[in-house]
Amino acid sequence: MKSILYTLPFFLLAFINTGQGQEKMLAKDEAITLALENNLGIKVAKNTKKIDENNANILNSGYLPTITANAGGSIDQQNTEGQLASGETRTADGAETRRYNAAVNVNYTLFDGLNRHYSYKSFQERSQQSELEVRQTIENTILQLFTVYYEVARLTENTKNLEQALEISKDRLKRANYQFEYGQNTGLDVLNAEVDINTDSINLLNSRQQLRNTMRDLNLILNQDLSSQFVADTTVNFVPGLQMENMHNDAKSNNIRLQLVEKDINISRYNVKAAKSVFLPIIGLTGTYGWNESNNNSPLAFLIQNTSTGITGSVNLSWSLFDGGRGITGVKNTKIGYENQELLKKQIALEVERDIRNAWDSYTNALYVLEVQEKNLQTNQNNFNRTDERYKLGQVTSIEFRQAQLNLLNAELAQSQAKYSAKLAELQMLQISGQLLNVDF
């Protein structure tokens, strides 16, 4: 049993040290650039924006005329018999008649009850809304990016702390072996030190595995090779001078959800006006330039060849006086849709106010927890330093030393967790206030 415990730490250490290499630093601004350029969700949102821009173009407005061209030809062969005024009878076998025609038609709607006017306005609002949706996608992606990025940074710090804990346990094992050889302690201290090395080695292996998995998550967001390795920047800078009143005011004017629902209200308003166009007449212009030619080789024909060209134009008026009630129903339904958007806006406004207040409380609480954890870390660091000195002098047991070591490790992990939790709370608050893309990370 002793030999197994003695060999296991060195096997774990050999496995831990395998594949260690230098990796390049992935700075925060570089991560943002990669996400904006490569993230698939952002690309989809931008393509959707292009579609809405095309819909809002004058070519899709209905304000331009339609022009069509058509042409045709026919050949007719018939056997005919006719009697002239003189009484003479004539026959024509296989008499052939050829007809050709071509025309260019122009149609233009002068007035359609303002339907196209408000539909065009609606398309323009939708185009502006799609820009906001791109911004929303970018905000969500940036927040997701830093949620994973700071998790990589946290696991990086945790891994370093676990590596330091493992080094301390290795030194303790050497000291225990020396003391055992000189008869200053029993073999129990050596076994305890070996068990603790096993525990620290397994914790370090698990932390590194979590770090690799989280790096793959980040590579997925950046749309790059999932096997790419990098080092995250573990420095955290908080935005100075944040105040609740300013955050609250910014949320009212800049929150993306409020801006999106405002566009929905505008679109619904234009839909109501467009629906009312069914009660008004439609006035249109039609113009045609045509060419016709006819050839007839029958001796009975009055004209052997006939060619004509000309321009025709007309004004059309159409007014649906009653369509069975469908128009009235449509107007009623679009009005209800508009009312629903107004109610939804009130609901979202309440939710945003709740979210910004909750986010502010979470942010200030996270900063306080971070301050407490930093003080706790300093206390545990001082306690460990004292215990280490006393352990070297033989004034404390290995169990007491190990407890001080674990206290320090737990304090380091807690302080790291508090630091990144506070930063994420800040980013979430900035997103709700609409300021996420206006700050330095």
Side-chain angles (χ1 to χ4, degrees):
M1 179 67 177
K2 178 180 178 181
S3 62
I4 294 177
L5 289 174
Y6 187 77
T7 359
L8 186 57
F10 297 100
F11 170 76
L12 290 173
L13 289 176
F15 182 77
I16 288 173
N17 292 327
T18 303
Q20 300 291 318
Q22 294 295 325
E23 299 159 351
K24 73 169 188 174
M25 171 74 71
L26 178 64
K28 300 183 186 72
D29 55 351
E30 182 181 359
I32 293 175
T33 301
L34 289 173
L36 294 177
E37 292 177 353
N38 302 329
N39 183 265
L40 297 178
I42 294 178
K43 288 184 177 181
V44 170
K46 289 182 177 180
N47 284 338
T48 303
K49 175 178 174 291
K50 291 179 181 178
I51 293 175
D52 292 323
E53 287 177 347
N54 291 336
N55 289 335
N57 192 278
I58 189 67
L59 297 176
N60 191 50
S61 65
Y63 279 108
L64 300 180
T66 60
I67 302 174
T68 59
N70 54 68
S74 65
I75 299 176
D76 183 18
Q77 286 186 347
Q78 293 186 4
N79 296 325
T80 60
E81 180 178 325
Q83 188 174 6
L84 301 178
S86 62
E88 180 184 358
T89 300
R90 291 185 182 182
T91 60
D93 296 332
E96 186 177 274
T97 302
R98 296 174 179 267
R99 298 182 181 90
Y100 306 98
N101 64 83
V104 177
N105 303 305
V106 179
N107 294 282
Y108 183 69
T109 301
L110 290 176
F111 181 74
D112 65 347
L114 298 177
N115 178 69
R116 64 182 175 184
H117 172 73
Y118 293 117
S119 296
Y120 185 49
K121 291 285 187 180
S122 178
F123 282 134
Q124 290 179 321
E125 289 290 331
R126 174 56 197 154
S127 178
Q128 296 172 12
Q129 188 181 51
S130 67
E131 294 182 8
L132 295 174
E133 289 174 349
V134 171
R135 176 190 145 194
Q136 184 182 45
T137 303
I138 292 176
E139 286 185 359
N140 292 336
T141 302
I142 294 299
L143 186 60
Q144 181 187 21
L145 167 68
F146 278 104
T147 299
V148 181
Y149 184 92
Y150 284 131
E151 180 64 9
V152 171
R154 185 185 71 84
L155 289 171
T156 300
E157 288 190 347
N158 288 358
T159 301
K160 291 180 180 179
N161 292 330
L162 290 170
E163 289 173 349
Q164 293 174 358
L166 181 59
E167 290 300 321
I168 293 173
S169 296
K170 289 164 61 178
D171 291 339
R172 176 184 157 206
L173 177 60
K174 290 180 182 179
R175 189 181 299 118
N177 280 324
Y178 291 149
Q179 291 175 345
F180 178 70
E181 291 175 1
Y182 289 100
Q184 296 179 0
N185 63 15
T186 64
L188 183 61
D189 288 339
V190 176
L191 290 176
N192 286 336
E194 290 177 354
V195 170
D196 292 337
I197 282 185
N198 292 339
T199 301
D200 293 343
S201 301
I202 292 173
N203 291 338
L204 180 56
L205 284 174
N206 290 335
S207 179
R208 284 181 173 168
Q209 180 60 49
Q210 292 177 359
L211 180 58
R212 288 193 295 270
N213 291 344
T214 310
M215 282 185 180
R216 294 187 188 101
D217 293 338
L218 186 56
N219 286 327
L220 181 63
I221 297 174
L222 300 177
N223 190 27
Q224 61 181 9
D225 186 3
L226 297 180
S227 61
S228 298
Q229 298 292 316
F230 53 85
V231 176
D233 186 2
T234 57
T235 59
V236 171
N237 299 314
F238 293 95
V239 179
L242 295 180
Q243 296 180 356
M244 175 58 195
E245 183 179 357
N246 293 337
M247 292 292 99
H248 189 265
N249 293 333
D250 288 340
K252 287 183 177 180
S253 57
N254 298 320
N255 180 269
I256 190 66
R257 293 182 63 200
L258 288 175
Q259 292 182 346
L260 285 172
V261 75
E262 187 65 36
K263 290 299 178 183
D264 282 331
I265 289 175
N266 293 339
I267 292 173
S268 296
R269 183 184 298 115
Y270 288 131
N271 288 342
V272 171
K273 295 180 178 180
K276 292 180 179 179
S277 65
V278 72
F279 303 128
L280 298 175
I282 299 176
I283 303 174
L285 291 177
T286 300
T288 302
Y289 176 80
W291 167 81
N292 295 275
E293 181 178 297
S294 175
N295 294 301
N296 192 342
N297 64 357
S298 173
L300 302 177
F302 179 71
L303 294 176
I304 301 301
Q305 181 174 351
N306 180 31
T307 302
S308 64
T309 59
I311 298 175
T312 61
S314 63
V315 178
N316 305 310
L317 184 146
S318 173
W319 196 340
S320 177
L321 298 178
F322 184 69
D323 63 355
R326 288 187 296 271
I328 296 174
T329 302
V331 172
K332 289 181 178 179
N333 289 339
T334 53
K335 285 183 177 180
I336 294 173
Y338 175 76
E339 292 174 2
N340 284 340
Q341 291 297 332
E342 289 282 4
L343 295 174
L344 183 60
K345 179 182 178 181
K346 293 179 181 179
Q347 177 67 28
I348 292 178
L350 289 175
E351 292 176 357
V352 169
E353 184 173 359
R354 176 206 60 190
D355 292 343
I356 193 63
R357 292 182 185 276
N358 289 346
W360 177 262
D361 288 345
S362 299
Y363 170 65
T364 53
N365 182 71
L367 288 180
Y368 176 75
V369 171
L370 174 59
E371 182 181 357
V372 172
Q373 291 294 355
E374 288 177 343
K375 293 179 180 178
N376 185 49
L377 174 59
Q378 186 61 44
T379 301
N380 279 280
Q381 182 67 60
N382 295 335
N383 178 64
F384 175 76
N385 293 338
R386 287 183 177 180
T387 304
D388 185 39
E389 293 175 0
R390 296 180 63 190
Y391 180 68
K392 292 177 181 178
L393 298 174
Q395 295 178 354
V396 296
T397 65
S398 60
I399 296 177
E400 293 172 325
F401 176 81
R402 176 63 175 177
Q403 187 59 52
Q405 180 190 6
L406 290 178
N407 289 341
L408 175 60
L409 177 61
N410 291 333
E412 290 172 337
L413 299 181
Q415 186 272 343
S416 179
Q417 178 69 55
K419 178 174 67 173
Y420 295 112
S421 295
K423 184 59 181 178
L424 289 177
E426 179 188 78
L427 294 181
Q428 291 170 350
M429 181 181 61
L430 290 171
Q431 183 192 27
I432 297 172
S433 66
Q435 299 299 322
L436 181 62
L437 304 182
N438 300 327
V439 298
D440 296 327
F441 296 92

